[in-house]
Amino acid sequence: MSGSTSRDVATAAFLGLGAMGAPMAAHLAAARPTLVWNRTSSVAEAHAASHGSRDVPLDAIAEAEVIVSCLSRTVDVVDVARQVAGDLRPGTVWVDCTSGEPEPSRVLATRLGEHGVAYLDAPVSGGTAGAEAGTLTVMAGGDADVLERVRPVLAAFAGRIVHVGPVGAGHAVKAVNNTLLAANLWAAGEGLVALVRAGVPATTALEVINASSGRSFPTEVLIPERVVTREFPVTFTLGLLAKDVGIARGVLDAAGSPAPVLRQVAELLTVALRELGPDVDHVAALQLVERWAGSEIR
Amino acid sequence: MSGSTSRDVATAAFLGLGAMGAPMAAHLAAARPTLVWNRTSSVAEAHAASHGSRDVPLDAIAEAEVIVSCLSRTVDVVDVARQVAGDLRPGTVWVDCTSGEPEPSRVLATRLGEHGVAYLDAPVSGGTAGAEAGTLTVMAGGDADVLERVRPVLAAFAGRIVHVGPVGAGHAVKAVNNTLLAANLWAAGEGLVALVRAGVPATTALEVINASSGRSFPTEVLIPERVVTREFPVTFTLGLLAKDVGIARGVLDAAGSPAPVLRQVAELLTVALRELGPDVDHVAALQLVERWAGSEIR
Amino acid sequence: MSGSTSRDVATAAFLGLGAMGAPMAAHLAAARPTLVWNRTSSVAEAHAASHGSRDVPLDAIAEAEVIVSCLSRTVDVVDVARQVAGDLRPGTVWVDCTSGEPEPSRVLATRLGEHGVAYLDAPVSGGTAGAEAGTLTVMAGGDADVLERVRPVLAAFAGRIVHVGPVGAGHAVKAVNNTLLAANLWAAGEGLVALVRAGVPATTALEVINASSGRSFPTEVLIPERVVTREFPVTFTLGLLAKDVGIARGVLDAAGSPAPVLRQVAELLTVALRELGPDVDHVAALQLVERWAGSEIR
Amino acid sequence: MSGSTSRDVATAAFLGLGAMGAPMAAHLAAARPTLVWNRTSSVAEAHAASHGSRDVPLDAIAEAEVIVSCLSRTVDVVDVARQVAGDLRPGTVWVDCTSGEPEPSRVLATRLGEHGVAYLDAPVSGGTAGAEAGTLTVMAGGDADVLERVRPVLAAFAGRIVHVGPVGAGHAVKAVNNTLLAANLWAAGEGLVALVRAGVPATTALEVINASSGRSFPTEVLIPERVVTREFPVTFTLGLLAKDVGIARGVLDAAGSPAPVLRQVAELLTVALRELGPDVDHVAALQLVERWAGSEIR
């Protein structure tokens, strides 16, 4: 589409107006005609009223040349796709920004392909802040040429769009990224709480670690902002992180490569989910580390 | 000492002219009269010839007002201190930059204290590059006032000097920092090799991860520079990292706090040490992750 | 069939004449008319010649009232069943003694049910020795009444037949049993090698442990007979144990319950498989424990 | 001493009349003159009144030719020995039945040796039931000839006395045995709770496992008697098991051999101790496994 004025007015459809999807769809609607659909239709109506998108019933999304989905799970995408696949026109591109599962997405891609519809898995990182700023990172799996065609569409909400591999690779990278987040977070929590118990204030330890080789996104950003402050604001729930780590477990199964550290972290997150519930912020997992230690990280 | 001309010419002594110690002592010698001692005395002679320090026998270090040690292990520091403690003058400050152990350092501090000598554990981070540039981070445990007195001395080789807590706290922070490095490195290796096996080039995965929440010092610096390039230059050996992780194990024992992730990493490092030997670079631990996976991270 | 003389002469079919299947089918053939099939037909011909079974092409197994399969993997059972399902008569019972996977077995049970064929998953324990003695333990999942009907058939090779739950439960119990074997084995190896390094002969440690609370099947039988003797006879390969542990991983996924110890063991077995290959005896996994320790368990 | 009338009347002293020590000392007093001491002296008085032992102040134990200690921790033994070592006669044998630590026991042995006193570490297994029945298993470290000399004395409360190695080896074997108990218990709990969630009653799973290769002391005895029954009687507390596992951690440190499974179990026990407290029975650790799974093992 780049450089092609005719393609730049392609109609888009956006499915799933949640915390991530709503601002992504708003950016999309600011750039081109955008149909929106949501399982609870009043949400779509409100979106249309606020952002100039057009709320439609599900079967009307077949009008769009590019369909972007941002639903809870792959099973939801499969369900919606099953309902509309027969109506889609050949040449349509389905860009699935859901944080989903590689294997069933590959099955979905095959089914859509039978209708001449190309599928890209294209989960995003950057959180709700990135969605609102329109600066998300998109990690896309699937045909590279297809990605090039829709790149101008995705640019409405993305600051960086990276082709990472075949269908499923986007989901795999997202899941592994978030599992590294979980691993680095948990490791940092264990180390910091032991230092606190040795008489080192957490902020002091963080100052040194962040000037040294032990630093990571959790030590640089999450723990100073959310743990040391005792705020634990809910921006990305533990339930969602645990879902992504579960997807990564499938990536590891498929790879067949040993991953004792990541598997360990996956088990601990499952424990945290049981003990703290799914609705706390993901960083609150460290409250379990603190409880087990008998000391707070601060 | 800063602003005090009389204190600014305080004589320093530096013990241990290894890969870190030699450039640290050179910076020291550029700033004030500096005695140097090394177990192999020819090394001290060469240092004196090159850097204007003065090589002395061990018992002559008692002349110095500030003694800086940078030896292999705490047991070496204890051994040297035992030989000279009786000769040291009250008011002397012993700054131990060895990456050492908290508990025996506390015992050493008590013994030196009986001679009126103050002890600070003050391990550094920044590697040989930081030592040569004189920009090391010092993490110091012990009396805060004592640290203030010697801060101008340490400033010769340090870009940042942080008081982290009581005696032993410096060693604890250093050991935990390096264990976080090990944990973040190993976790990244497991995740990246699984992505490679899913069809994602390591450089692509790193581009996304480093723009996202999974990033850490290993993903941002070590793996791109040392693993993807297949270079694995030896700057900090696996043996030394394993030593630090062993010290962290003692910190965790003392804290009594569960640390399933860090303990797991400690075991894996021990395995890597057995399989790869102590002399490879610490980042080469990922060669074991690659061997177990049957794929290279690139 | 119990109490029914007419049912006692029911014809059986046995699919898969491997190390376990061949002696199981021989016991079956001694008790009733038994058709045998094997992917390599010469094996079935030889079995017929030796044991009075009758070798048949695959489609002829539809004559049997009870079909027993003992193949490598569930995927093989599914493949064979797909070929013959249309020919099977309603009322036929398919007893699958393969060490297989619960979830695809449930799918298979549903498909066979559409043809009026009842499916039981019925993996066995006892090894080749138990198969030859006809004293295997059968752990059966599926309809309890169906199990009662075929109990007299299975009794030909089983010393104990336990109904463990719905379809898939037999596979789950088998996989978990073998994962406990792996866990107890690996734990014992770690502990014993550390004791050897502390100056305790392995046989002495085993004498005490086997009189105490640390005992398990590996300390009582496997390690004395196979490790201390340095014999490591191949009776159940590491590859097969790793397959079963992989199935258990799916059971844990489905249960959603944290299992940090069993997951850890699963990772270590994968490492052992990479390092030692699939064809060594499962107990040879301790050779990796020994290599990592630098000492033998003896 | 057996067969030697003069040796058979050797006077013994017993230190520490707790749940294990009291019945052990009673068996001893039935066989020969026995002095008893306890930190709370009324306990010793009551023991003397009930069992024909003679309660004495600590310094009077020097009269005994064989001193048996059964205290909480090695630090307690060291403390008591420090008070009386100067009074002990050369040739005295100190048999330490405490579940203690190898390294400080070696230091203690050296100190006692300077007074001509031989030290054996001789922890026991068999629990309070074995202590009352006089059928304990003794695992003794130290000089084999010294053990032979005191064997008739220990036979009063022991069914089996095994020389396992040099001083410290007894403690090491005891600690590793109990860590294997913990590992086998936790692994069984994880596996059983997953099977329960798959629809398999725990008793059914145990029946199969105990006829198969997954069996261990916990599956054969502890879980059927204490978990499935929901009784969790307190006979050996979680706090004491955690203490022993902590000692095993030191054995592993000293061995330098990787032990990812046993280390993992040690961390989980520390978590259980935090979550359940030290006073529950050790088998109650599985209540944490159950809580994390959301299902009971029954």
Side-chain angles (χ1 to χ4, degrees), chain B residues 197 264 268 270-271 274-275 288 291-294, chain C residues 197 264 268 270-271 274-275 288 291-294:
Chain B
R197 291 174 69 82
Q264 168 87 276
L268 290 167
T270 309
V271 171
R274 285 274 176 190
E275 294 284 66
L288 193 59
R291 190 171 95 195
W292 290 349
Chain C
R197 292 174 69 83
Q264 168 86 277
L268 291 166
T270 309
V271 171
R274 285 276 177 191
E275 296 285 69
L288 193 59
R291 189 171 95 196
W292 290 350

mmCIF file of all heavy atoms in Angstrom, chain B residues 197 264 268 270-271 274-275 288 291-294, chain C residues 197 264 268 270-271 274-275 288 291-294:
data_model
loop_
_atom_site.group_PDB
_atom_site.id
_atom_site.type_symbol
_atom_site.label_atom_id
_atom_site.label_comp_id
_atom_site.label_asym_id
_atom_site.label_seq_id
_atom_site.Cartn_x
_atom_site.Cartn_y
_atom_site.Cartn_z
ATOM 1 N N ARG B 197 14.073 -22.310 16.782
ATOM 2 C CA ARG B 197 13.509 -23.579 16.308
ATOM 3 C C ARG B 197 12.098 -23.400 15.752
ATOM 4 O O ARG B 197 11.603 -24.264 15.024
ATOM 5 C CB ARG B 197 13.527 -24.610 17.434
ATOM 6 C CG ARG B 197 14.965 -25.021 17.773
ATOM 7 C CD ARG B 197 15.039 -25.926 18.984
ATOM 8 N NE ARG B 197 14.484 -27.249 18.740
ATOM 9 C CZ ARG B 197 15.136 -28.247 18.152
ATOM 10 N NH1 ARG B 197 16.374 -28.082 17.739
ATOM 11 N NH2 ARG B 197 14.553 -29.411 17.987
ATOM 12 N N GLN B 264 17.764 -22.486 40.918
ATOM 13 C CA GLN B 264 17.781 -23.263 39.684
ATOM 14 C C GLN B 264 18.933 -22.818 38.784
ATOM 15 O O GLN B 264 19.667 -23.647 38.228
ATOM 16 C CB GLN B 264 16.443 -23.005 38.967
ATOM 17 C CG GLN B 264 16.355 -23.473 37.562
ATOM 18 C CD GLN B 264 15.922 -24.914 37.520
ATOM 19 O OE1 GLN B 264 16.743 -25.816 37.660
ATOM 20 N NE2 GLN B 264 14.648 -25.120 37.365
ATOM 21 N N LEU B 268 22.264 -24.827 37.299
ATOM 22 C CA LEU B 268 22.589 -24.910 35.873
ATOM 23 C C LEU B 268 23.990 -24.380 35.605
ATOM 24 O O LEU B 268 24.719 -24.912 34.766
ATOM 25 C CB LEU B 268 21.550 -24.130 35.061
ATOM 26 C CG LEU B 268 20.168 -24.787 35.046
ATOM 27 C CD1 LEU B 268 19.118 -23.817 34.513
ATOM 28 C CD2 LEU B 268 20.182 -26.063 34.194
ATOM 29 N N THR B 270 26.449 -24.577 37.645
ATOM 30 C CA THR B 270 27.371 -25.624 38.088
ATOM 31 C C THR B 270 27.499 -26.700 37.010
ATOM 32 O O THR B 270 28.590 -27.203 36.738
ATOM 33 C CB THR B 270 26.874 -26.248 39.411
ATOM 34 O OG1 THR B 270 26.601 -25.200 40.347
ATOM 35 C CG2 THR B 270 27.928 -27.163 40.003
ATOM 36 N N VAL B 271 26.370 -27.034 36.400
ATOM 37 C CA VAL B 271 26.412 -27.994 35.295
ATOM 38 C C VAL B 271 27.265 -27.438 34.150
ATOM 39 O O VAL B 271 28.126 -28.135 33.598
ATOM 40 C CB VAL B 271 24.984 -28.301 34.796
ATOM 41 C CG1 VAL B 271 25.036 -29.116 33.504
ATOM 42 C CG2 VAL B 271 24.186 -29.044 35.857
ATOM 43 N N ARG B 274 30.882 -27.725 34.791
ATOM 44 C CA ARG B 274 31.364 -29.090 34.598
ATOM 45 C C ARG B 274 31.527 -29.410 33.109
ATOM 46 O O ARG B 274 32.460 -30.090 32.699
ATOM 47 C CB ARG B 274 30.351 -30.098 35.172
ATOM 48 C CG ARG B 274 30.361 -30.178 36.659
ATOM 49 C CD ARG B 274 31.428 -31.170 37.108
ATOM 50 N NE ARG B 274 31.491 -31.176 38.564
ATOM 51 C CZ ARG B 274 32.435 -31.780 39.241
ATOM 52 N NH1 ARG B 274 33.425 -32.422 38.624
ATOM 53 N NH2 ARG B 274 32.436 -31.734 40.544
ATOM 54 N N GLU B 275 30.588 -28.936 32.317
ATOM 55 C CA GLU B 275 30.560 -29.357 30.919
ATOM 56 C C GLU B 275 31.482 -28.512 30.049
ATOM 57 O O GLU B 275 31.981 -28.978 29.036
ATOM 58 C CB GLU B 275 29.119 -29.265 30.382
ATOM 59 C CG GLU B 275 28.141 -30.238 31.042
ATOM 60 C CD GLU B 275 28.292 -31.682 30.572
ATOM 61 O OE1 GLU B 275 29.344 -32.290 30.854
ATOM 62 O OE2 GLU B 275 27.363 -32.185 29.924
ATOM 63 N N LEU B 288 25.804 -24.380 26.067
ATOM 64 C CA LEU B 288 25.195 -25.589 26.621
ATOM 65 C C LEU B 288 23.687 -25.595 26.323
ATOM 66 O O LEU B 288 23.117 -26.630 25.961
ATOM 67 C CB LEU B 288 25.452 -25.661 28.129
ATOM 68 C CG LEU B 288 25.148 -27.006 28.787
ATOM 69 C CD1 LEU B 288 25.969 -28.135 28.164
ATOM 70 C CD2 LEU B 288 25.415 -26.936 30.283
ATOM 71 N N ARG B 291 23.447 -26.620 22.804
ATOM 72 C CA ARG B 291 23.720 -28.053 22.599
ATOM 73 C C ARG B 291 22.507 -28.875 22.991
ATOM 74 O O ARG B 291 22.129 -29.824 22.302
ATOM 75 C CB ARG B 291 24.932 -28.439 23.452
ATOM 76 C CG ARG B 291 25.461 -29.821 23.156
ATOM 77 C CD ARG B 291 26.777 -30.047 23.874
ATOM 78 N NE ARG B 291 26.606 -30.704 25.139
ATOM 79 C CZ ARG B 291 27.536 -30.764 26.087
ATOM 80 N NH1 ARG B 291 28.701 -30.142 25.923
ATOM 81 N NH2 ARG B 291 27.317 -31.394 27.207
ATOM 82 N N TRP B 292 21.892 -28.498 24.115
ATOM 83 C CA TRP B 292 20.717 -29.244 24.568
ATOM 84 C C TRP B 292 19.536 -29.070 23.599
ATOM 85 O O TRP B 292 18.661 -29.929 23.530
ATOM 86 C CB TRP B 292 20.308 -28.786 25.980
ATOM 87 C CG TRP B 292 21.283 -29.202 27.051
ATOM 88 C CD1 TRP B 292 22.327 -30.079 26.933
ATOM 89 C CD2 TRP B 292 21.294 -28.762 28.419
ATOM 90 N NE1 TRP B 292 22.980 -30.210 28.138
ATOM 91 C CE2 TRP B 292 22.366 -29.417 29.064
ATOM 92 C CE3 TRP B 292 20.497 -27.880 29.166
ATOM 93 C CZ2 TRP B 292 22.660 -29.216 30.415
ATOM 94 C CZ3 TRP B 292 20.782 -27.683 30.506
ATOM 95 C CH2 TRP B 292 21.859 -28.343 31.122
ATOM 96 N N ALA B 293 19.503 -27.945 22.929
ATOM 97 C CA ALA B 293 18.396 -27.679 22.007
ATOM 98 C C ALA B 293 18.659 -28.243 20.617
ATOM 99 O O ALA B 293 17.727 -28.477 19.850
ATOM 100 C CB ALA B 293 18.156 -26.174 21.910
ATOM 101 N N GLY B 294 19.921 -28.403 20.282
ATOM 102 C CA GLY B 294 20.252 -28.841 18.928
ATOM 103 C C GLY B 294 20.188 -27.722 17.912
ATOM 104 O O GLY B 294 20.100 -27.978 16.708
ATOM 105 N N ARG C 197 30.563 -38.506 47.355
ATOM 106 C CA ARG C 197 31.599 -37.477 47.447
ATOM 107 C C ARG C 197 31.917 -37.107 48.899
ATOM 108 O O ARG C 197 32.962 -36.518 49.174
ATOM 109 C CB ARG C 197 31.195 -36.242 46.637
ATOM 110 C CG ARG C 197 31.184 -36.551 45.128
ATOM 111 C CD ARG C 197 30.652 -35.416 44.299
ATOM 112 N NE ARG C 197 31.530 -34.262 44.275
ATOM 113 C CZ ARG C 197 32.582 -34.119 43.482
ATOM 114 N NH1 ARG C 197 32.891 -35.068 42.628
ATOM 115 N NH2 ARG C 197 33.323 -33.035 43.523
ATOM 116 N N GLN C 264 10.408 -30.080 36.479
ATOM 117 C CA GLN C 264 11.869 -30.034 36.530
ATOM 118 C C GLN C 264 12.445 -31.347 36.024
ATOM 119 O O GLN C 264 13.397 -31.370 35.224
ATOM 120 C CB GLN C 264 12.268 -29.815 37.996
ATOM 121 C CG GLN C 264 13.685 -30.018 38.325
ATOM 122 C CD GLN C 264 14.472 -28.766 38.090
ATOM 123 O OE1 GLN C 264 14.886 -28.482 36.965
ATOM 124 N NE2 GLN C 264 14.657 -27.990 39.119
ATOM 125 N N LEU C 268 14.941 -32.264 32.840
ATOM 126 C CA LEU C 268 16.207 -32.980 32.978
ATOM 127 C C LEU C 268 16.229 -34.222 32.095
ATOM 128 O O LEU C 268 17.265 -34.567 31.510
ATOM 129 C CB LEU C 268 16.437 -33.346 34.441
ATOM 130 C CG LEU C 268 16.724 -32.139 35.336
ATOM 131 C CD1 LEU C 268 16.604 -32.523 36.804
ATOM 132 C CD2 LEU C 268 18.114 -31.576 35.051
ATOM 133 N N THR C 270 14.744 -34.507 29.287
ATOM 134 C CA THR C 270 14.965 -34.037 27.914
ATOM 135 C C THR C 270 16.449 -33.770 27.697
ATOM 136 O O THR C 270 16.999 -34.093 26.634
ATOM 137 C CB THR C 270 14.137 -32.766 27.645
ATOM 138 O OG1 THR C 270 12.787 -33.002 28.031
ATOM 139 C CG2 THR C 270 14.168 -32.400 26.171
ATOM 140 N N VAL C 271 17.082 -33.183 28.691
ATOM 141 C CA VAL C 271 18.531 -32.972 28.605
ATOM 142 C C VAL C 271 19.254 -34.320 28.480
ATOM 143 O O VAL C 271 20.134 -34.499 27.627
ATOM 144 C CB VAL C 271 19.045 -32.208 29.842
ATOM 145 C CG1 VAL C 271 20.565 -32.181 29.861
ATOM 146 C CG2 VAL C 271 18.485 -30.787 29.876
ATOM 147 N N ARG C 274 19.050 -35.737 25.088
ATOM 148 C CA ARG C 274 19.968 -35.069 24.153
ATOM 149 C C ARG C 274 21.392 -35.566 24.344
ATOM 150 O O ARG C 274 22.143 -35.726 23.389
ATOM 151 C CB ARG C 274 19.955 -33.552 24.394
ATOM 152 C CG ARG C 274 18.741 -32.865 23.878
ATOM 153 C CD ARG C 274 18.916 -32.547 22.405
ATOM 154 N NE ARG C 274 17.694 -31.938 21.896
ATOM 155 C CZ ARG C 274 17.458 -31.751 20.612
ATOM 156 N NH1 ARG C 274 18.338 -32.103 19.703
ATOM 157 N NH2 ARG C 274 16.333 -31.200 20.221
ATOM 158 N N GLU C 275 21.775 -35.730 25.611
ATOM 159 C CA GLU C 275 23.178 -36.019 25.898
ATOM 160 C C GLU C 275 23.517 -37.496 25.747
ATOM 161 O O GLU C 275 24.645 -37.836 25.431
ATOM 162 C CB GLU C 275 23.522 -35.545 27.320
ATOM 163 C CG GLU C 275 23.420 -34.033 27.526
ATOM 164 C CD GLU C 275 24.580 -33.254 26.915
ATOM 165 O OE1 GLU C 275 24.669 -33.198 25.666
ATOM 166 O OE2 GLU C 275 25.382 -32.693 27.688
ATOM 167 N N LEU C 288 24.414 -39.231 33.578
ATOM 168 C CA LEU C 288 24.556 -37.784 33.410
ATOM 169 C C LEU C 288 24.729 -37.118 34.783
ATOM 170 O O LEU C 288 25.553 -36.209 34.958
ATOM 171 C CB LEU C 288 23.337 -37.221 32.681
ATOM 172 C CG LEU C 288 23.463 -35.798 32.171
ATOM 173 C CD1 LEU C 288 24.624 -35.656 31.196
ATOM 174 C CD2 LEU C 288 22.168 -35.351 31.499
ATOM 175 N N ARG C 291 28.241 -37.723 35.665
ATOM 176 C CA ARG C 291 29.183 -36.905 34.892
ATOM 177 C C ARG C 291 29.220 -35.484 35.452
ATOM 178 O O ARG C 291 30.283 -34.888 35.587
ATOM 179 C CB ARG C 291 28.739 -36.895 33.427
ATOM 180 C CG ARG C 291 29.740 -36.277 32.501
ATOM 181 C CD ARG C 291 29.325 -36.517 31.058
ATOM 182 N NE ARG C 291 28.583 -35.396 30.511
ATOM 183 C CZ ARG C 291 27.854 -35.462 29.389
ATOM 184 N NH1 ARG C 291 27.750 -36.596 28.716
ATOM 185 N NH2 ARG C 291 27.231 -34.403 28.951
ATOM 186 N N TRP C 292 28.040 -34.955 35.766
ATOM 187 C CA TRP C 292 27.976 -33.597 36.306
ATOM 188 C C TRP C 292 28.636 -33.509 37.683
ATOM 189 O O TRP C 292 29.102 -32.444 38.085
ATOM 190 C CB TRP C 292 26.525 -33.134 36.389
ATOM 191 C CG TRP C 292 25.890 -32.878 35.050
ATOM 192 C CD1 TRP C 292 26.504 -32.831 33.835
ATOM 193 C CD2 TRP C 292 24.497 -32.641 34.792
ATOM 194 N NE1 TRP C 292 25.585 -32.580 32.847
ATOM 195 C CE2 TRP C 292 24.353 -32.449 33.396
ATOM 196 C CE3 TRP C 292 23.353 -32.556 35.595
ATOM 197 C CZ2 TRP C 292 23.114 -32.180 32.806
ATOM 198 C CZ3 TRP C 292 22.134 -32.289 35.000
ATOM 199 C CH2 TRP C 292 22.010 -32.101 33.621
ATOM 200 N N ALA C 293 28.621 -34.629 38.402
ATOM 201 C CA ALA C 293 29.203 -34.617 39.755
ATOM 202 C C ALA C 293 30.689 -34.941 39.736
ATOM 203 O O ALA C 293 31.412 -34.588 40.674
ATOM 204 C CB ALA C 293 28.478 -35.636 40.641
ATOM 205 N N GLY C 294 31.132 -35.636 38.691
ATOM 206 C CA GLY C 294 32.526 -36.064 38.656
ATOM 207 C C GLY C 294 32.789 -37.292 39.518
ATOM 208 O O GLY C 294 33.935 -37.558 39.879
#
